[in-house]
Amino acid sequence: MAGLTCDVLVVGGGLAGLSCAIRAAEQGLDVVVLERGEEELYACNSRYANGFINIASEYIHSPSAKLRGVIDKQTYGFADPELAQTLADHAGQAITWLRAQGVRMVEIHGGSPIRRTVLAPPPYNRPGLDWLNRGADQMMRVLTRNC
């Protein structure tokens, strides 16, 4: 690895790392991702996630003021105000970007806001790490391919 040059070095190939790498590449930067997992379906929390997308148990497409309120409530006011506002203002755009990458999601209406937006296919409604080919695993495959 001596002499490796790049504009952006990303450590970790989970959701955050792959998203960062793809966005940097979209900006024309030369990106290298380092991931310690050696298998094609390397173990990472992003792959095992249940696939429900929310902010502090609130529907991710809620108005910014509502999202900011639940962030403040869930963190007992300890969230960095600027970061909390940025998250509240732009969370919906992140979901739109993921969908544009080819990540499939479904909206489940009539239920809890914590489970309204879910990666497709949704997880099984049973205990255990039954993640293979479920929404989070599919998301990781799409982002890996795009990276």
Side-chain angles (χ1 to χ4, degrees), residues 62-146:
S62 293
S64 178
K66 185 171 188 176
L67 292 175
R68 179 59 195 276
V70 296
I71 291 168
D72 288 342
K73 181 179 178 186
Q74 291 290 326
T75 64
Y76 299 97
F78 285 103
D80 178 280
E82 187 175 340
L83 290 176
Q85 192 62 54
T86 298
L87 177 61
D89 289 344
H90 300 287
Q93 292 172 351
I95 298 308
T96 300
W97 180 83
L98 282 170
R99 284 184 163 134
Q101 292 299 309
V103 174
R104 293 181 25 226
M105 298 178 204
V106 294
E107 297 287 325
I108 301 172
H109 298 281
S112 165
I114 196 171
R115 296 173 180 249
R116 187 161 172 196
T117 303
V118 62
L119 296 168
Y124 296 112
N125 192 15
R126 60 181 180 227
L129 279 178
D130 198 359
W131 57 270
L132 191 61
N133 294 316
R134 304 317 307 158
D137 179 41
Q138 290 296 321
M139 173 190 67
M140 292 300 296
R141 292 172 192 239
V142 165
L143 294 178
T144 299
R145 188 171 49 248
N146 292 357

